[in-house]
Amino acid sequence: MKSNNQINIPQAKEAMDKFKMQAASEVGVNLTNGYNGHLTSREAGSVGGQMVKKMIEAYEQGLQ
């Protein structure tokens, strides 16, 4: 199954992959490079939620 997720700036792919791995580590989810079909919905959601949390924190810091 091909992913529909696309990065708007292709040069950011490496940074986004690193960010995803960091978020996964913070919530205790074991991610691998490539396909992670072994993850439960809860685990995948916690990684995405952690990424959103970090992005909101970064935005709020920029407002100060």
Side-chain angles (χ1 to χ4, degrees):
M1 181 175 190
K2 186 173 179 177
S3 173
N4 290 330
N5 296 335
Q6 294 180 355
I7 294 180
N8 292 332
I9 303 171
Q11 297 85 347
K13 181 170 178 21
E14 187 175 325
M16 289 302 292
D17 286 342
K18 184 177 177 183
F19 180 50
K20 179 171 51 174
M21 294 298 233
Q22 178 184 8
S25 176
E26 290 173 2
V27 294
V29 174
N30 185 22
L31 278 187
T32 59
N33 288 326
Y35 183 67
N36 284 284
H38 65 281
L39 295 180
T40 64
S41 296
R42 182 182 186 109
E43 289 171 324
S46 66
V47 173
Q50 182 70 3
M51 291 175 71
V52 170
K53 179 181 173 183
K54 291 290 190 180
M55 287 185 269
I56 291 171
E57 287 174 359
Y59 180 78
E60 288 174 345
Q61 288 293 324
L63 292 177
Q64 295 179 1

